[in-house]
Amino acid sequence: MKKWFGSAAICINENKDLLMVKSVGSEAWAVPSGGIEVGESPEECCIREVKEETGYDVEIVEKLFIKEVKLKEYKVKTYYFLVNYFGESEGINDPDELIIEVDWKSLSEIQSIKHGYPEDLAFLMDLMK
């Protein structure tokens, strides 16, 4: 079985809104995330992915947990981090050209939107309270 390692960022602003992204050809929203490149730590991956997908600079606040799932022929291991953003977004600069929209979602919006990873909804709601 192939392995894939990635990082995901949970970024909540001063209004208790969550930073989320939407991909090409999808109505589902997800937190910024992506694959760890060779020689990169999970933390470095997290910071890079947020910058590419949202245009925001972030710093790691804490490591939250590791999610392990099986997707098709892949064993997926994703490191989740709580991050703080600073400055203004410089816009999407995703080299994979997968991200088409970035938005801050409120707790009520989080409960009604379609999620790319529905299994994340419960802990996202807990973090936003």
Side-chain angles (χ1 to χ4, degrees):
M1 182 166 277
K2 297 177 195 165
K3 292 181 179 175
W4 184 90
F5 299 94
S7 293
I10 310 300
C11 186
I12 300 169
N13 68 14
E14 58 282 356
N15 301 320
K16 293 268 190 207
D17 296 328
L18 178 67
L19 185 61
M20 298 193 81
V21 296
K22 191 162 73 168
S23 301
V24 173
S26 173
E27 288 307 308
W29 290 86
V31 296
S33 62
I36 298 172
E37 294 178 353
V38 175
E40 200 174 42
S41 71
E43 291 82 357
E44 289 165 338
C45 172
C46 180
I47 291 166
R48 177 183 53 77
E49 288 290 345
V50 175
K51 182 70 172 180
E52 289 176 359
E53 294 186 357
T54 72
Y56 284 106
D57 287 305
V58 296
E59 60 190 359
I60 305 284
V61 176
E62 68 177 297
K63 188 175 183 176
L64 294 171
F65 61 88
I66 298 170
K67 180 170 84 174
E68 297 191 63
V69 295
K70 285 192 176 105
L71 289 174
K72 298 179 183 157
E73 73 274 12
Y74 283 91
K75 207 170 161 184
V76 175
K77 187 174 188 176
T78 307
Y79 297 81
Y80 279 73
F81 297 95
L82 187 62
V83 302
N84 278 336
Y85 79 99
F86 46 94
E88 296 296 316
S89 170
E90 295 175 7
I92 299 168
N93 185 23
D94 178 21
D96 303 322
E97 298 184 346
L98 296 175
I99 304 302
I100 54 164
E101 198 174 337
V102 177
D103 199 9
W104 294 95
K105 298 290 186 187
S106 68
L107 183 57
S108 60
E109 287 174 302
I110 293 289
Q111 293 167 315
S112 60
I113 60 174
K114 185 174 178 192
H115 286 267
Y117 303 96
E119 68 275 11
D120 289 357
L121 182 58
F123 86 81
L124 291 174
M125 288 171 50
D126 281 348
L127 283 170
M128 292 174 73
K129 288 179 181 160

